[in-house]
Amino acid sequence: MRAVVTRVSRASIEINGVPGGTMGQGLLVLLGVGPNDTEKEALYLADKCALLRIFEDENGKMNRSLADVEGKMMIVSNFTLYADCSHGRRPDFFPAAKPDIAVPLYERFKARMAELGVPYLCGEFGADMKIDHVNDGPVTLIMDTDQMMKKKGE
């Protein structure tokens, strides 16, 4: 699984032309699912995102988590994170997981946030979405379970 995690001071989402929610300080998580991903990757990445210490403490150090700042998370499915741009000028999206794999893992990621007590709002899988956000910092991280779990030896 892949995620682009952005620390935001505010964010809002529109789903198929309808307002889908707004939030203040927190994390915007664009989430992509690969064809070989399983529940193991979904849980690993969810835990990493929920517990990231990327909010500043009183000394200006990134030492606080989402819970520490009482922030929210916006979770948005994004198959384009698996685009292959190595050939030509048009991205190839075939490397992304098909909906029968991606939807349950996207839902499991969200369910894990609920289990962890992380307040969240989300997009709708496969919908046309417009996201407005203010990147705070800017702080933007790219997380890929293939790389992260490999380094960890899993």
Side-chain angles (χ1 to χ4, degrees), residues 7-8 25-27 52 54-57 63-72:
R7 185 177 77 184
V8 299
Q25 183 178 37
L27 298 175
L52 279 173
I54 61 171
F55 294 92
E56 293 181 359
D57 64 15
N63 202 28
R64 291 189 173 147
S65 69
L66 194 59
D68 294 332
V69 299
E70 298 179 353
K72 286 187 177 180

Side-chain angles (χ1 to χ4, degrees), residues 115-127:
E115 292 166 8
L116 295 171
V118 175
Y120 71 89
L121 54 135
C122 55
E124 181 181 317
F125 191 92

